[in-house]
Amino acid sequence: MSIITIQLGQCGNQVGREVFQAISTDLHSAHGLCSRKENDAYQAASRERFFSEDKTGAARAVLVDMEPKVIGQTLSVALRSGSWKYDHQSHFCQKQGSGNNWANGYCIHGPKHKEAIMNLVQKEAEKCDRLSGFLILLSMAGGTGSGLGAFVTRSLRDAYPTSFLLNHVIWPYSLGEVIVQNYNSVLTLSHLYQTSDALLVHENDAIHKICAQLMNIKQISFRDVNRVIAHQLGSIFQPAYSSDAAVQYSRSPLGDLMEALVPHPEFKMLGLRNIPQMSENSLAFSTFAWPGLLKHLRQMLIANAKMEEGIDWQVRPPVPGLPPSQKQSPNRTAHFNTSIANLITLRGKDIQTADLGGFRDPALYTSWLSAQEALSIWKTPRAFNKYEKSASLVSNSQFLLKPIDGVVSKAWKMFASKAYVHQYTKFGIEEEDFLDCFATLEQVIASYTSL
């Protein structure tokens, strides 16, 4: 089944381009480390998911921005790659941006351009034999990705009620350049929480650290950050077998993801970790064993670490059955990261020897799901993007509690003093709308805290 990617705003379009580049590079790599039959099945499943099966072979994507510059660059960089491209008719842009204002994107640009954008989506959907759903890429900080992104997500929910909607959200730098980014973030998150099936979140601060410490990049650009994000997304969306007995690759990738990770509509925040990650220069001199990789990945989950360097090894799972208030680690500074559900994807050599018993520990999970129900494992002997062994972990857990709480607190302080609120009310967002959004996110925080 196919996934249509909707790229919204500058960030969404730049990340989307890197995602398709990572998938295309993986598709065309000869290394595979598996049989030709296996490789052919993998490539066929990947093409059906992400690329049109007509003679154009274009990416299954719709590009939307309120300024033409980034879309122009995105189209030309894809074309120059020589291995893939966008359909030259599947983009929509205007001459004026949204001025980093969520209300401008949601209340003005959304309704005004809804018909044109949804027509492009419909044309893309008609090219799919079977539609699994939509991957919607956006940033929370600006105006177009966040405001128009929330509007387009709601429109997709209305037009495709049975299709899965996964929003991929870029969490802004904590010291961001947009003074109203906390308002935009609160408005975006609360609206998406009501319409999307799940929100997969990448934090810019965490990815920046990966670029500096694991990839050894001295001067980090947005493109470097986007490439790390794209690699991580490719590692979960490329084909894998959803059980040991499966004889073909998962046919409904988004549906299987939701089934594995979102057992309750109150909990739909997903985080992604990937191991190993390193520069190509280091990769040539590195060897990996499953026990070491999985030991690190488990502790990354428990201690809520975003990368394998600098993990706090003092954090331990609590005694099962303790109330949330006592789920503190022995060292008192780090809180144990309780999970609702986890999905691990293993790729490459010797996957059958990997022991995942450590992830079946009931202490890792909330009391109302058994570890057996809460853990899903996908595997493929086909290696991913130059790594002979790699593991990805998508987790529905408490990982975002601190960032959400921080954003809500900062936005509330500004709102309490009425700072910049007039910039939103002039486009049609009322103070009551802000209060509703704060209430929605307070409920999200309370739900995850209670695990």
Side-chain angles (χ1 to χ4, degrees):
M1 291 177 95
S2 306
I3 299 171
I4 296 176
T5 303
I6 314 287
Q7 303 178 183
L8 290 141
Q10 177 177 342
C11 177
N13 278 292
Q14 289 173 337
V15 170
R17 182 183 78 210
E18 297 299 342
V19 169
F20 281 110
Q21 185 59 52
I23 287 167
S24 175
T25 302
D26 181 51
L27 249 182
H28 294 99
S29 62
H31 67 91
L33 301 178
C34 60
S35 68
R36 170 164 297 183
K37 183 184 174 190
E38 185 68 59
N39 199 41
D40 289 348
Y42 178 91
Q43 289 179 326
S46 176
R47 281 199 184 92
E48 185 192 7
R49 276 179 196 191
F50 295 106
F51 297 98
S52 173
E53 288 166 285
D54 59 20
K55 60 181 184 294
T56 66
R60 297 189 190 277
V62 173
L63 291 66
V64 180
D65 200 3
M66 289 297 110
E67 295 172 292
K69 183 180 170 189
V70 171
I71 285 188
Q73 289 171 343
T74 301
L75 294 172
S76 64
V77 170
L79 198 57
R80 284 204 305 274
S81 76
S83 57
W84 69 282
K85 62 184 177 184
Y86 289 106
D87 183 334
H88 65 281
Q89 294 179 320
S90 66
H91 66 273
F92 176 86
C93 57
Q94 292 291 290
K95 292 286 187 280
Q96 67 194 77
S98 300
N100 290 327
N101 189 313
W102 189 92
N104 195 2
Y106 190 87
C107 302
I108 306 299
H109 291 318
K112 185 177 176 186
H113 304 302
K114 176 182 177 181
E115 190 178 345
I117 294 168
M118 295 307 288
N119 281 343
L120 289 176
V121 173
Q122 187 181 340
K123 281 180 188 165
E124 207 53 54
E126 285 168 356
K127 294 181 199 170
C128 303
D129 287 344
R130 296 181 303 277
L131 176 61
S132 177
F134 298 91
L135 173 63
I136 305 151
L137 308 175
L138 53 92
S139 158
M140 295 198 310
T144 300
S146 64
L148 185 63
F151 183 89
V152 168
T153 303
R154 196 188 79 189
S155 302
L156 288 168
R157 172 55 72 226
D158 293 341
Y160 300 91
T162 58
S163 293
F164 292 102
L165 301 185
L166 175 63
N167 282 87
H168 176 255
V169 178
I170 303 290
W171 199 276
Y173 286 103
S174 51
L175 303 171
E177 297 154 23
V178 180
I179 199 160
V180 289
Q181 71 177 31
N182 295 311
Y183 279 166
N184 292 340
S185 298
V186 163
L187 291 161
T188 306
L189 280 175
S190 60
H191 279 75
L192 293 182
Y193 222 81
Q194 289 159 21
T195 49
S196 183
D197 289 304
L199 284 70
L200 179 59
V201 178
H202 267 112
E203 298 169 75
N204 268 338
D205 289 320
I207 303 300
H208 201 92
K209 271 189 185 169
I210 289 174
C211 289
Q213 295 176 27
L214 298 185
M215 314 300 275
N216 296 320
I217 300 168
K218 297 291 175 272
Q219 291 191 311
I220 299 165
S221 67
F222 278 123
R223 188 160 195 196
D224 295 322
V225 170
N226 294 342
R227 280 178 170 163
V228 171
I229 292 170
H231 173 81
Q232 293 198 354
L233 288 175
S235 74
I236 58 165
F237 286 121
Q238 281 290 63
Y241 297 108
S242 53
S243 72
D244 285 337
V247 290
Q248 63 178 20
Y249 283 111
S250 158
R251 302 311 296 265
S252 176
L254 289 181
D256 291 346
L257 192 83
M258 303 302 174
E259 186 182 346
L261 289 164
V262 190
H264 190 288
E266 189 79 17
F267 301 93
K268 48 174 87 169
M269 290 288 192
L270 309 180
L272 174 52
R273 293 169 177 82
N274 190 271
I275 190 171
Q277 286 201 157
M278 57 179 60
S279 65
E280 280 194 38
N281 296 343
S282 308
L283 197 55
F285 305 102
S286 304
T287 54
F288 304 104
W290 284 119
L293 289 175
L294 295 173
K295 180 183 176 185
H296 277 75
L297 190 62
R298 181 177 186 267
Q299 194 63 23
M300 284 162 70
L301 170 68
I302 289 171
N304 196 15
K306 304 300 187 300
M307 59 181 180
E308 61 262 42
E309 208 166 283
I311 301 173
D312 183 350
W313 290 92
Q314 301 301 310
V315 183
R316 295 274 183 274
V319 179
L322 280 181
S325 58
Q326 292 174 32
K327 283 191 180 179
Q328 198 83 5
S329 251
N331 65 357
R332 289 283 161 206
T333 53
H335 198 288
F336 171 75
N337 180 36
T338 305
S339 299
I340 291 175
N342 290 313
L343 165 62
I344 297 174
T345 305
L346 305 179
R347 299 178 183 276
K349 284 172 73 175
D350 307 326
I351 47 170
Q352 65 281 1
T353 66
D355 178 12
L356 290 158
F359 290 90
R360 295 191 173 94
D361 181 353
L364 270 59
Y365 300 96
T366 182
S367 57
W368 45 266
L369 268 184
S370 72
Q372 199 173 350
E373 295 169 303
L375 177 66
S376 303
I377 299 160
W378 295 356
K379 298 177 183 176
T380 174
R382 169 64 153 77
F384 177 67
N385 268 350
K386 300 189 175 71
Y387 290 90
E388 68 166 24
K389 297 185 181 88
S390 63
S392 311
L393 169 65
V394 192
S395 172
N396 187 344
S397 68
Q398 295 174 314
F399 79 105
L400 256 190
L401 264 178
K402 208 170 163 187
I404 293 185
D405 201 38
V407 161
V408 170
S409 301
K410 287 177 193 167
W412 181 255
K413 277 182 187 162
M414 285 175 66
F415 182 73
S417 60
K418 299 286 185 279
Y420 301 102
V421 171
H422 66 285
Q423 302 279 15
Y424 290 76
T425 53
K426 73 180 182 187
F427 289 118
I429 290 287
E430 301 300 330
E431 290 189 18
E432 288 75 28
D433 297 321
F434 272 104
L435 292 171
D436 288 345
C437 292
F438 281 120
T440 299
L441 293 187
E442 291 292 356
Q443 179 58 51
V444 173
I445 292 168
S447 297
Y448 274 102
T449 304
S450 71
L451 291 177

